[in-house]
Amino acid sequence: RAQAKREMEERAAALEEERRVLKEETRRKKEEDKRLARAESKRKLEEEAAALEEGRRALEQEAKRQKKEAEKLARAQAKREMEERAAALEEERRVLKEETRRKKEEDERLAREESRRKFEKEANTLEKERQELALEARKRKQEAENLAREKAKRRREEETVTFEERRELARKARRRK
């Protein structure tokens, strides 16, 4: 039993040592991975910076080349531009004239539409008022009919009362005799 216990303890100690070693290795591996990732990230950034610098230099050279080309073209183009500007101004005048005509037509069309909308709105308002007045007239007619019926009913009741009063008076007169 003592032997078995010792073996169990030794196995437990070995397992614990193995677990500690694995933990340490995992920690080291993590740190190494982080270091490698940082190094890779730094390398990529440096590559990007170099590529950007190369691009900037290329753009600078292209800009210089284009500037020279532009100056050369500018001299040859000055005359052409003057002629084109004159033609463009003439075209612009023609376009403005056409746009003015179109705008006038559109304004007239919009004015007609607005006028029609106002007319329809007014017609709708008048129709609504007519319907409201008709409803009011029906209500008043109904009220007048109700009052007339009530009046007739009251008159009948009064006549009935009067007839009953006369009968009562006649009965009293008969008793007195």
Side-chain angles (χ1 to χ4, degrees), residues 36-50:
L36 287 172
R38 282 195 297 269
E40 180 63 18
S41 178
K42 185 181 175 188
R43 186 187 61 72
K44 279 184 183 168
L45 283 172
E46 286 169 352
E47 281 177 7
E48 282 178 26

Side-chain angles (χ1 to χ4, degrees), residues 23 40 43-44 53 122 130 136 141 145 158:
K23 196 172 173 185
E40 180 63 18
R43 186 187 61 72
K44 279 184 183 168
E53 179 59 26
E122 184 67 23
R130 186 195 65 73
E136 186 64 29
K141 184 181 175 189
E145 288 172 359
E158 285 172 3

Side-chain angles (χ1 to χ4, degrees), residues 11-90:
R11 222 175 294 133
L15 284 171
E16 178 58 31
E17 178 60 19
E18 197 176 317
R19 190 192 63 75
R20 190 191 62 70
V21 167
L22 275 172
K23 196 172 173 185
E24 180 62 23
E25 280 178 8
T26 305
R27 186 188 64 74
R28 272 200 220 103
K29 175 132 180 36
K30 237 185 189 173
E31 284 177 1
E32 180 63 14
D33 288 349
K34 276 186 192 171
R35 189 189 65 70
L36 287 172
R38 282 195 297 269
E40 180 63 18
S41 178
K42 185 181 175 188
R43 186 187 61 72
K44 279 184 183 168
L45 283 172
E46 286 169 352
E47 281 177 7
E48 282 178 26
L52 285 171
E53 179 59 26
E54 181 61 31
R56 188 189 64 75
R57 273 198 297 272
L59 282 173
E60 247 175 38
Q61 283 181 343
E62 180 61 19
K64 282 179 190 173
R65 190 191 64 72
Q66 284 182 5
K67 187 180 174 189
K68 283 180 186 174
E69 183 70 21
E71 287 169 357
K72 183 180 160 188
L73 286 172
R75 288 187 295 274
Q77 210 172 339
K79 186 182 172 190
R80 246 194 336 264
E81 281 179 358
M82 287 277 271
E83 291 165 356
E84 285 171 3
R85 228 176 285 142
L89 285 170
E90 179 56 29

Side-chain angles (χ1 to χ4, degrees), residues 149 151-162:
R149 276 198 294 277
K151 208 172 183 182
K153 185 180 169 189
R154 237 179 288 137
R155 195 171 37 249
R156 280 195 307 276
E157 286 172 357
E158 285 172 3
E159 285 171 2
T160 305
V161 168
T162 307

